[in-house]
């Protein structure tokens, strides 16, 4: 299992255990992390699973910032998109992400 920490806009931490091969979005939904809606169920078609990759982790694992063209297009519909924005349904969890920190935006969509 891989430990992931979601930090909400108020700074509250939600630590979850996730299985390798699942997605960050699935980990959030299974653990009822507030602020991740995931309306389309992971089809990269809603932008309501938006998160910010923690800068320290983006530096450590630069591939965490690599978005597909479809994801780029969907992010146009997200609120307050930044350089480290990702759709969490598009991030597959791997062992090297143990301890990963991501931030939940103020609002989705
Ligand atoms: S769950 Fe819809 S884009 Fe990620």
């Amino acid at each position: 299992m891989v430990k992931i920490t979601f930090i909400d806009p108020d700074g509250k931490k939600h630590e979850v255990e996730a299985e390798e091969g699942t997605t960050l979005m699935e980990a959030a939904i299974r653990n009822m992390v507030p602020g991740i809606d995931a309306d389309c169920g992971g089809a990269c078609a809603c932008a309501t699973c938006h998160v910010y990759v923690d800068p320290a982790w983006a530096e450590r694992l630069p591939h965490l910032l690599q978005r597909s063209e479809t994801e780029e297009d969907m992010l146009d519909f997200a609120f307050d998109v930044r350089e480290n924005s990702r759709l969490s349904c598009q991030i597959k969890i791997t062992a090297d992400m143990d301890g990963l920190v991501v931030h939940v935006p103020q609002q989705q969509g």
Side-chain angles (χ1 to χ4, degrees):
M1 296 294 259
V2 178
K3 203 205 272 181
I4 310 281
T5 301
F6 292 85
I7 302 181
D8 70 24
D10 299 327
K12 191 166 178 242
K13 289 182 182 175
H14 304 269
E15 288 186 358
V16 310
E17 298 270 332
E19 241 177 90
E20 279 178 59
T22 61
T23 67
L24 264 190
M25 175 280 275
E26 288 168 326
I29 295 297
R30 278 185 196 146
N31 292 281
M32 292 181 288
V33 173
I36 305 289
D37 300 338
D39 290 342
C40 78
C44 198
C46 73
T48 63
C49 63
H50 179 202
V51 295
Y52 303 112
V53 176
D54 188 81
W57 276 89
E59 201 171 307
R60 187 161 156 187
L61 299 178
H63 68 83
L64 282 176
L65 296 186
Q66 283 170 15
R67 310 166 182 154
S68 70
E69 213 172 294
T70 315
E71 185 177 351
E72 288 280 358
D73 289 348
M74 277 323 299
L75 275 169
D76 287 345
F77 298 96
F79 173 78
D80 191 16
V81 176
R82 302 175 192 167
E83 207 173 88
N84 56 342
S85 287
R86 288 296 312 271
L87 294 179
S88 57
C89 68
Q90 300 303 301
I91 299 181
K92 271 235 157 55
I93 294 169
T94 50
D96 58 356
M97 292 181 196
D98 193 34
L100 175 66
V101 177
V102 294
H103 302 264
V104 178
Q106 199 74 41
Q107 69 180 70
Q108 295 285 355

